[in-house]
Amino acid sequence: MVSQKLKSIVQQLDVGKIQAHILVDINLDRNREKLLLAENAFYAESELARNGLSLFSKDNNESDFITDSSLWNKDLWTDLRIELEYNFSREKFNNVVTVMKHLRETGHPDFQPKITVPKSTASSKTHSTDSSGSQGSSNYNRNNFGLGALGGGLAGGVLGKMAGVTFGGVVLGVAVGLAVVYYLNQRNDE
């Protein structure tokens, strides 16, 4: 599904701005459930063509792309994405998409969808584990109490030292850190 933001940018008929938006979307697509790159590019190219413009530039025939998929890795993908930034050609775009799909299919962790808990599920007080076996959001948030106390204690200690009441600053900092984590957990559980 093409986003309203992309539709709005395409309406401006600014090819450079559209290309920049798609380049940002390439990075986001790595962790989306569904890759939207091809759909976004098709939409932008179609709309631009109606106005006598082209999304893609002529390919400069300079690329690090290799056909041996066993050598495809994140570094190659990054290089190809940079190439696309400097020469936004259909060939370079296709190379980026092809390598990205391969990395996702082969399980590269930087190219897997991030699983988000829908608001309606997050609002229930009982949380289950996801398919990867990680803990649900409530358990994860409870673990943040220790981090909140530590961070608050450190910040309070530094501020207390400056005010000349080190121990009181640490105690106050721990309390503030715990209160912040408690507030965030309550807000997430609503």
Side-chain angles (χ1 to χ4, degrees):
M1 174 192 300
V2 177
S3 70
Q4 280 304 115
K5 185 173 182 176
L6 178 60
K7 288 179 181 179
S8 172
I9 292 171
V10 169
Q11 286 177 352
Q12 297 172 26
L13 301 177
D14 182 338
V15 174
K17 198 171 187 179
I18 296 166
Q19 290 173 344
H21 180 82
I22 290 174
L23 286 166
V24 168
D25 263 0
I26 287 172
N27 289 328
L28 297 174
D29 241 22
R30 291 181 313 151
N31 302 121
R32 286 185 178 139
E33 186 68 34
K34 178 182 177 198
L35 297 177
L36 301 175
L37 291 175
E39 182 179 351
N40 288 344
F42 178 79
Y43 170 79
E45 179 68 3
S46 299
E47 293 298 311
L48 289 171
R50 287 189 218 185
N51 292 283
L53 300 170
S54 178
L55 175 65
F56 297 106
S57 307
K58 184 178 188 299
D59 190 61
N60 64 9
N61 293 319
E62 297 175 16
S63 182
D64 289 335
F65 182 74
I66 47 179
T67 56
D68 183 357
S69 64
S70 69
L71 300 175
W72 293 354
N73 57 32
K74 183 180 178 186
D75 290 336
L76 175 64
W77 178 84
T78 301
D79 291 344
L80 296 174
R81 195 229 168 262
I82 292 168
E83 287 177 5
L84 179 63
E85 187 172 335
Y86 290 98
N87 179 222
F88 203 93
S89 69
R90 184 178 308 277
E91 293 81 359
K92 287 183 175 49
F93 178 82
N94 289 339
N95 291 344
V96 168
V97 172
T98 300
V99 172
M100 179 184 279
K101 284 181 179 178
H102 172 78
L103 292 172
R104 176 169 287 189
E105 290 167 3
T106 58
H108 191 289
D110 290 341
F111 294 85
Q112 300 306 307
K114 298 282 188 235
I115 297 173
T116 56
V117 179
K119 273 289 190 195
S120 61
T121 305
S123 66
S124 69
K125 296 293 181 182
T126 58
H127 296 280
S128 62
T129 58
D130 65 19
S131 60
S132 66
S134 63
Q135 294 181 340
S137 61
S138 280
N139 291 334
Y140 172 77
N141 290 336
R142 277 189 216 113
N143 293 335
N144 286 338
F145 278 107
L147 293 174
L150 178 63
L154 289 172
V158 169
L159 293 173
K161 180 104 172 144
M162 292 169 44
V165 284
T166 306
F167 181 74
V170 170
V171 171
L172 182 60
V174 168
V176 170
L178 289 172
V180 168
V181 172
Y182 178 79
Y183 168 76
L184 292 174
N185 281 343
Q186 291 300 109
R187 192 179 74 180
N188 285 340
D189 284 343
E190 290 178 352

